[in-house]
Amino acid sequence: VIETRAEARLRRLTCARLLQVMVRAEHDPEADGPPRITTKELRALCKEHGGYHTPGINDKLYLHYKGYSKIENLDEYTGVRALWLEGNGFSRLEGLEKLGELRCLYAHQNCILRIEGLAQCAKLTTLQLSNNFIRRVDGLHLLPNLQTLQISHNSLATAGDLLGLLHAPQLSVLDLSHNRIDDPGAVSVLEALPQLAVLQLHGNPVVNKIEQYRRTLVSRCRALTYLDDRPVFPEDRLATEAWAWGEAELGKGRGLECEREERARQREERDQSQRRNIEYMRQVTDDAKARAAARHTAAGLPTSAHAAVVDAAAAAAEPGGAATAGEHSSQQLYSRALAAVEAKRRELQERQQQRKAAASDSDASVPLAVVTASPAAAFPAAQPESAPRPQEEEIQAGAGDDDLDALD
């Protein structure tokens, strides 16, 4: 059974009245009639939610799901910045004249018919009015700072019902989902919002009436970054704009071809960027190897043993090195690397033996120099004896050991 809007409103009002009676009976069994927003009730709610006893210094006020039918007695709460009113039975937005600091108003799941009573709330940035019975967007010219408007599950139907959105130039987040909008002219209204970044339009009949719905919305709403359930990436926007240009300049049906060309261009650009990054890393590696080789040559040292293996691996990684790498099996490459390491080990061992032999020859020549020298030169009177420095000999003799340890 399809429920009409009037029946839905009647059902919601009935449920709100029942909720009012239940809540009233729970808080005050002896009281008659629906609950009301009284001064005593407001102070009790502030205490319940961790607020302050002084009304003017509260910046949040929670009045949700209490079964109230009228907004009243809020004049003392001039410092409130966020007000929760959802889940009640309000049919009008009223009683907010003194809330000049209000930034966020949550009045969804009520029975509100119009957007009104917000003339003194010029600092309002977020307005939540979903699940009401609003038939037309109006009154937004009094809210110059409004950035977020959620008005889903209401009774909006035509493009004329949305013209009030044009009075909110700062609007960036708009939820129009699950209304009755079936007029394709609504796209022209949405296109005129210069800062519209997030749009929810699904659940409306107009979605099926707009040809190429997503491409059309993205191409016409230039600031859009999120549409319905998916984000709009920069690449998607470029492709969509190419589609729109093809449709407008080349004729109907040519837009998809232009979009494919744009996506091919984007792929080629990404591949070129990756190739540039790989070439840059290769250049950095080659420069580092050249500097290392220059340092070894200047110090009179041979190239490190693993340099041949690194060069072989780099050659195999070259575009033309696949064939060369294919000629040698992995076992042969391993054997070559192992042979290079063993050659380096033998070279270090020979150098270590040479240093030890040179050190022993220098020790053996000391007594001969002392005998052949004159007594005065052998025993100088004014010069103190210098202490022997065995650490230098140990360091020289052990230099090869460090190289061997590093090679292991």
Side-chain angles (χ1 to χ4, degrees):
V1 180
I2 299 177
E3 186 180 40
T4 64
R5 290 284 176 168
E7 293 173 346
R9 183 170 183 270
L10 179 60
R11 177 179 54 82
R12 191 173 297 176
L13 284 171
T14 304
C15 293
R17 295 295 185 267
L18 291 175
L19 179 61
Q20 292 170 0
V21 174
M22 293 173 60
V23 173
R24 189 66 169 176
E26 180 181 356
H27 286 79
D28 191 359
E30 298 180 357
D32 296 330
R36 297 183 57 187
I37 305 178
T38 62
T39 303
K40 179 180 179 181
E41 181 83 0
L42 289 172
R43 293 186 177 181
L45 290 174
C46 290
K47 181 179 180 181
E48 178 182 350
H49 294 285
Y52 302 97
H53 185 269
T54 303
I57 61 176
N58 288 281
D59 59 351
K60 300 181 184 66
L61 196 56
Y62 300 94
L63 304 178
H64 54 298
Y65 299 107
K66 296 297 182 180
Y68 302 129
S69 59
K70 184 179 180 181
I71 306 173
E72 54 185 345
N73 297 320
L74 299 180
D75 295 349
E76 296 181 350
Y77 293 83
T78 56
V80 171
R81 294 182 172 225
L83 178 60
W84 280 264
L85 299 174
E86 72 270 23
N88 288 284
F90 302 126
S91 58
R92 296 183 59 188
L93 288 174
E94 56 184 347
L96 305 176
E97 293 79 9
K98 301 297 182 178
L99 305 186
E101 298 296 325
L102 191 63
R103 303 297 199 280
C104 304
L105 176 61
Y106 305 97
H108 49 294
Q109 298 180 6
N110 282 283
C111 303
I112 299 172
L113 300 176
R114 295 183 57 188
I115 303 176
E116 57 183 352
L118 302 176
Q120 305 301 323
C121 303
K123 296 182 180 180
L124 195 68
T125 60
T126 301
L127 180 58
Q128 166 63 285
L129 293 173
S130 299
N131 295 96
N132 281 285
F133 298 96
I134 299 173
R135 295 179 177 272
R136 186 181 182 86
V137 178
D138 50 12
L140 299 188
H141 62 284
L142 303 173
L143 307 174
N145 298 310
L146 187 65
Q147 299 177 6
T148 301
L149 175 62
Q150 295 172 289
I151 195 169
S152 63
H153 293 89
N154 277 275
S155 301
L156 305 175
T158 66
D161 297 340
L162 304 178
L163 290 177
L165 296 173
L166 301 178
H167 297 290
Q170 302 295 327
L171 196 63
S172 60
V173 179
L174 178 61
D175 186 1
L176 296 172
S177 60
H178 300 286
N179 276 273
R180 291 181 172 182
I181 303 173
D182 58 355
D183 185 1
V187 180
S188 300
V189 179
L190 300 175
E191 181 183 9
L193 298 175
Q195 299 188 25
L196 184 61
V198 179
L199 174 62
Q200 299 287 339
L201 196 59
H202 58 90
N204 288 281
V206 72
V207 173
N208 298 325
K209 293 184 178 182
I210 300 176
E211 186 177 0
Q212 300 289 344
Y213 163 72
R214 187 171 181 85
R215 290 187 176 93
T216 301
L217 265 297
V218 172
S219 62
R220 296 182 64 175
C221 300
R222 298 303 181 88
L224 206 61
T225 60
Y226 207 99
L227 176 60
D228 292 338
D229 57 345
R230 285 189 295 165
V232 180
F233 296 105
E235 297 81 4
D236 298 334
R237 173 163 295 283
L238 291 176
T240 303
E241 291 177 353
W243 169 84
W245 181 87
E247 291 287 323
E249 300 294 335
L250 303 181
K252 190 175 180 60
R254 300 292 300 276
L256 293 177
E257 180 181 351
C258 296
E259 180 180 351
R260 285 193 292 268
E261 293 178 357
E262 173 61 25
R263 292 193 182 277
R265 186 196 65 81
Q266 292 176 11
R267 287 194 296 270
E268 179 62 25
E269 184 177 352
R270 287 195 297 268
D271 294 341
Q272 291 180 0
S273 177
Q274 292 177 358
R275 286 193 292 268
R276 287 194 298 269
N277 293 337
I278 294 174
E279 183 63 27
Y280 175 75
M281 293 302 299
R282 185 176 299 163
Q283 183 65 33
V284 170
T285 304
D286 294 342
D287 293 344
K289 290 166 60 177
R291 289 194 298 270
R295 289 196 300 269
H296 289 174
T297 302
L301 300 176
T303 306
S304 59
H306 69 280
V309 182
V310 173
D311 293 338
E318 293 288 340
T324 306
E327 296 176 0
H328 304 283
S329 63
S330 59
Q331 184 63 31
Q332 291 174 340
L333 291 175
Y334 178 76
S335 300
R336 290 176 56 189
L338 186 61
V341 172
E342 292 297 333
K344 181 64 177 180
R345 183 188 296 275
R346 288 193 297 270
E347 179 184 351
L348 292 176
Q349 290 176 349
E350 291 176 358
R351 290 172 58 192
Q352 181 181 8
Q353 293 176 0
Q354 292 175 1
R355 283 194 294 268
K356 289 182 178 180
S360 62
D361 292 343
S362 62
D363 292 341
S365 63
V366 171
L368 181 61
V370 172
V371 172
T372 56
S374 62
F379 302 99
Q383 297 180 357
E385 294 183 359
S386 60
R389 302 174 63 183
Q391 293 182 355
E392 295 182 0
E393 298 178 358
E394 292 179 359
I395 292 175
Q396 294 176 356
D401 298 337
D402 296 337
D403 293 338
L404 289 175
D405 293 340
L407 189 61
D408 292 336

